[in-house]
Amino acid sequence: MRNRIAELVESSLNSAITSQELSTSQLPTITIGTPANTEHGDFSCNIAMQMAKGERKAPRQVAEILIRHLGDGNGLFSKTEIAGPGFINFFVAATAWQASLLEIESQGNTFGRTATGEGKKMQVEFVSANPTGPLHIGHGRGAAIGDTLCRILDASGWDVTREFYYNDAGAQINNLALSVQSRCLGIEPDDQRWPADGYQGEYIKDVARAYLARESVEASDQHTVANGDPKNLDAIREFAVAWLRREQDFDLAAFDVRFDVYTLESGLYTEGRVDSVVKQLIANGHTYELDGALWLKTTDFGDDKDRVMRKADGGYTYFVPDVAYHQAKWERGFTRVVNEQGADHHSTITRVRAGLQALDIGIPKGWPEYVLHQMVTVMRGGEEVKISKRAGSYVTLRDLIDEVGRDATRFFFIMRKPDAQLVFDIDLAKQQTNENPVYYVQYAHARICSIFENAAEKGFKAPVKPAADELKLLTTPEELQLIKIMTSLPDTIDDCAIHFEPHRLTYYLTELASCFHSFYNKNRVISEDTALTAARLYLLKRTAQTLKNALSILGISAPERM
RNA sequence: GCGCUCGUAGCUCAGCUGGAUAGAGCAACGGCCUUCUAAGCCGUAGGUCAUAGGUUCGAGUCCUAUCGGGCGCGCCA
């Protein structure tokens, strides 16, 4: 609806220019807003105020010209008016709202989807947790935001690739292998022989036990059989990585999150990508040697200090393979790449982008794009739970899903905008689950399903493709408001996709559910009036479909009973 | 000290890339179930949008400064 009105305004603008009533040399971008006050109509446009100065006319005068060329929008509007300092307000005719229900019906479970992305490729990298332990709550937020973002971008017409990148060969992985080896040899964390920064979690014992038992492991991207020899550190490393990757697979599966591509840091070395990037950066003259290390002049690209690429010990710092990885993404044809990660890693953005600019291979300055989520503070028993992976004292994602439920956990993680901090009170989420907004939305869906059960018992069912005469009975403010909210789902999806902000969809759902609950309490659906009953059943059929479609994009179920 | 980010009702947060009288949930108070699910609805109360300037027809939103919380500032990832 919003787009339709924007198109009408644009054509009336063109028409006014053709007739030389307006003379603007460049068309302003047309934005259609939704007034907070219903007295100001269903939609409004501020274009007359924006153009007034250039036109050397009063805003209301510009608005008057536009309205004249606009007419009634081929019956779309029941009224258009000029209001306030120069707003154009649009009142959509009830018949137009009613007719839009037919479009929702014909689109079925694809209603809400748009073609905005034009089928172009976009890659989203998220979670990207190193396989040194189970996923914790911070990863959970990243998984929920990243996965929902993928679903939203897909619904917005993008061809999305979901990617998981991890370090399978660095110092931390070596540390992991040493920890497992120590457990294999029966060495405890308080033993002198325990590795300095060893991982102390209970799960390390499980890995050691499985390794000694020569178990085999099938992870989504790893397949291995334990060698069983506690002296063979390489074999332990390989097994531990695969074992923990599989654990993460379990966690992610429980969260209904999946990936298309896994990229291993070690592969960037074995394929020669890291070497090739270093050579290219040297050849382009963006490096220098100092104190036995090789530096990249990232200050040439907006960083506040230069960064070491190759350490004095000969190893590369982590961001070098990261640059190589992103070069590979670019070569794979992703002109748009989004990285979802914790805000505590935000300093990598400048470095990676600087490295890519220094390669001078035509990558745009702002590529890749980033979505950063702020810290999650975990509260349990009224106290903050400190997250320490090495000490093993932290709340895992799986614990959370087991305690709170998948739907509520997902909803909770995405209902705030990513760059706001999140307090996750486990006791609250556990003990007062019916206060969680996700139930409010799901309840609306279950309620509608229940109405249809009752209707079926009494021999009623929603009509298929009803005529305008049958729908014209839908006239109350609640009914029209319900339709209005439903039709804005595609706009909401686009807004979420453009801003990378999944939380907007949770607010949309709450609003839609709220509108339905109000309608339900004020009106009876099944009544003596068979014509009205049919019209309302049709309205609720579309409402249930809209709720289900939107919930599905959030990866949340739409229960038929609660 | 520098960079990023946040600061909106008692609490947790929205506020549609500058629009009209700043909203929701929870908590508080008062109502609504012999009829389709009360996990619901209706109403009341609650605000100097951290502070001070600036930009313009118009600022919670943009700019500057200050104050306060978080994160980052490693030849760790």
Side-chain angles (χ1 to χ4, degrees):
Chain A
M1 192 62 84
R2 194 171 69 177
N3 289 340
R4 254 171 93 183
I5 293 169
E7 283 165 21
L8 285 169
V9 172
E10 188 179 1
S11 66
S12 86
L13 189 56
N14 287 328
S15 162
I17 291 167
T18 307
S19 66
Q20 296 189 333
E21 287 169 88
L22 294 175
S23 60
T24 192
S25 52
Q26 53 179 13
L27 290 176
T29 53
I30 297 165
T31 53
I32 303 298
T34 52
N37 189 335
T38 53
E39 287 173 20
H40 295 138
D42 299 302
F43 296 94
S44 67
C45 186
N46 62 0
I47 193 167
M49 288 179 284
Q50 291 179 320
M51 291 176 63
K53 200 171 236 176
E55 293 290 332
R56 297 168 159 275
K57 286 186 168 69
R60 296 181 69 102
Q61 199 183 343
V62 176
E64 191 212 333
I65 294 167
L66 288 171
I67 283 184
R68 190 152 19 85
H69 285 268
L70 198 62
D72 71 347
N74 299 321
L76 184 61
F77 305 125
S78 59
K79 185 169 86 168
T80 52
E81 66 176 17
I82 305 168
F87 289 103
I88 302 174
N89 291 337
F90 304 95
F91 295 77
V92 175
T95 50
W97 285 127
Q98 292 150 4
S100 62
L101 288 173
L102 291 160
E103 288 175 38
I104 298 175
E105 179 187 14
S106 66
Q107 290 178 46
N109 56 18
T110 66
F111 171 66
R113 299 182 63 88
T114 73
T116 308
E118 300 175 327
K120 288 186 273 194
K121 289 172 68 173
M122 173 134 42
Q123 192 223 47
V124 182
E125 181 200 328
F126 61 109
V127 184
S128 290
N130 289 340
T132 54
L135 299 178
H136 57 63
I137 284 198
H139 296 126
R141 190 175 191 193
I145 291 172
D147 179 69
T148 308
L149 195 55
C150 288
R151 291 169 191 259
I152 284 166
L153 289 166
D154 177 72
S156 186
W158 292 88
D159 177 12
V160 179
T161 298
R162 309 148 158 267
E163 191 142 338
F164 187 115
Y165 170 73
Y166 66 94
N167 176 348
D168 59 321
Q172 291 308 319
I173 296 294
N174 206 46
N175 191 12
L176 169 75
L178 288 169
S179 306
V180 173
Q181 185 177 46
S182 299
R183 287 293 189 186
C184 286
L185 299 167
I187 297 170
E188 302 283 323
D190 51 8
D191 195 300
Q192 278 189 341
R193 293 168 294 168
W194 184 260
D197 291 314
Y199 291 96
Q200 301 182 11
E202 285 295 307
Y203 63 93
I204 297 292
K205 289 186 197 168
D206 297 335
V207 181
R209 210 173 293 128
Y211 177 78
L212 292 173
R214 297 174 193 266
E215 285 184 13
S216 62
V217 169
E218 295 285 319
S220 55
D221 69 316
Q222 294 269 352
H223 316 280
T224 190
V225 179
N227 164 296
D229 177 3
K231 294 197 192 80
N232 190 336
L233 194 61
D234 286 339
I236 292 175
R237 183 186 294 111
E238 184 189 337
F239 181 79
V241 166
W243 198 92
L244 287 163
R245 269 290 319 126
R246 187 185 58 179
E247 285 300 293
Q248 294 179 349
D249 284 347
F250 289 151
D251 299 346
L252 293 167
F255 215 30
D256 197 16
V257 172
R258 56 166 192 85
F259 291 89
D260 301 308
V261 178
Y262 293 83
T263 300
L264 284 68
E265 188 185 288
S266 64
L268 298 168
Y269 285 96
T270 56
E271 288 163 20
R273 287 200 157 272
V274 175
D275 280 338
S276 131
V277 158
V278 173
K279 277 184 191 143
Q280 186 78 43
L281 292 174
I282 293 171
N284 289 357
H286 294 296
T287 64
Y288 59 91
E289 303 250 4
L290 181 71
D291 299 332
L294 180 68
W295 297 69
L296 180 67
K297 283 189 266 186
T298 54
T299 47
D300 289 351
F301 305 95
D303 205 351
D304 52 0
K305 60 174 84 165
D306 291 339
R307 306 291 169 177
V308 169
M309 293 171 59
R310 191 176 59 224
K311 299 179 275 184
D313 70 6
Y316 292 112
T317 53
Y318 75 95
F319 92 92
V320 180
D322 215 357
V323 171
Y325 175 39
H326 282 87
Q327 182 190 28
K329 288 184 183 180
W330 178 256
E331 288 171 358
R332 284 160 60 198
F334 292 108
T335 52
R336 289 199 73 188
V337 161
V338 190
N339 294 332
E340 201 291 337
Q341 60 188 43
D344 53 340
H345 287 170
H346 78 257
S347 61
T348 66
I349 297 174
T350 321
R351 269 169 246 188
V352 169
R353 284 183 179 160
L356 293 168
Q357 289 305 302
L359 285 173
D360 195 21
I361 53 173
I363 294 176
K365 273 186 178 171
W367 189 98
E369 299 163 81
Y370 284 84
V371 173
L372 302 178
H373 66 259
Q374 289 289 336
M375 300 269 297
V376 179
T377 308
V378 185
M379 302 291 287
R380 174 171 246 151
E383 287 182 10
E384 184 180 342
V385 180
K386 294 287 183 189
I387 294 178
S388 166
K389 209 189 278 190
R390 284 170 202 163
S393 70
Y394 64 103
V395 183
T396 66
L397 175 59
R398 206 182 318 168
D399 289 343
L400 195 64
I401 296 169
D402 289 346
E403 290 174 25
V404 182
R406 189 197 71 186
D407 287 343
T409 306
R410 286 189 69 115
F411 198 93
F412 204 106
F413 270 137
I414 62 160
M415 68 185 284
R416 318 246 129 106
K417 63 182 165 209
D419 55 10
Q421 290 174 48
L422 178 68
V423 177
F424 204 117
D425 187 328
I426 290 179
D427 301 314
L428 191 74
K430 267 164 51 180
Q431 294 169 9
Q432 304 185 2
T433 49
N434 53 356
E435 285 178 9
N436 195 308
V438 69
Y439 293 104
Y440 181 81
V441 175
Q442 290 180 318
Y443 182 53
H445 186 265
R447 244 183 175 178
I448 294 172
C449 291
S450 172
I451 291 171
F452 275 98
E453 274 186 29
N454 273 286
E457 279 175 23
K458 291 174 181 157
F460 289 110
K461 63 178 184 182
V464 176
K465 292 189 179 24
D469 271 359
E470 301 174 72
L471 292 179
K472 74 180 181 191
L473 301 171
L474 301 173
T475 53
T476 68
E478 292 81 24
E479 287 162 340
L480 294 175
Q481 180 66 14
L482 207 43
I483 299 172
K484 183 176 168 182
I485 295 172
M486 281 191 248
T487 62
S488 72
L489 178 61
D491 301 329
T492 302
I493 301 283
D494 277 342
D495 286 340
C496 290
I498 288 164
H499 298 279
F500 297 144
E501 289 182 341
H503 74 280
R504 297 181 188 224
L505 195 47
T506 68
Y507 282 88
Y508 171 85
L509 274 165
T510 305
E511 192 188 356
L512 178 58
S514 168
C515 188
F516 161 72
H517 287 309
S518 291
F519 165 79
Y520 176 90
N521 275 275
K522 207 162 181 175
N523 307 93
R524 258 198 91 71
V525 178
I526 301 165
S527 68
E528 314 288 301
D529 187 338
T530 53
L532 185 59
T533 299
R536 284 184 170 163
L537 284 174
Y538 186 74
L539 174 71
L540 291 195
K541 202 81 179 173
R542 307 286 78 80
T543 307
Q545 183 71 63
T546 305
L547 285 166
K548 190 175 183 179
N549 289 2
L551 281 167
S552 157
I553 290 168
L554 296 184
I556 294 173
S557 66
E560 297 185 359
R561 271 170 203 275
M562 286 175 75

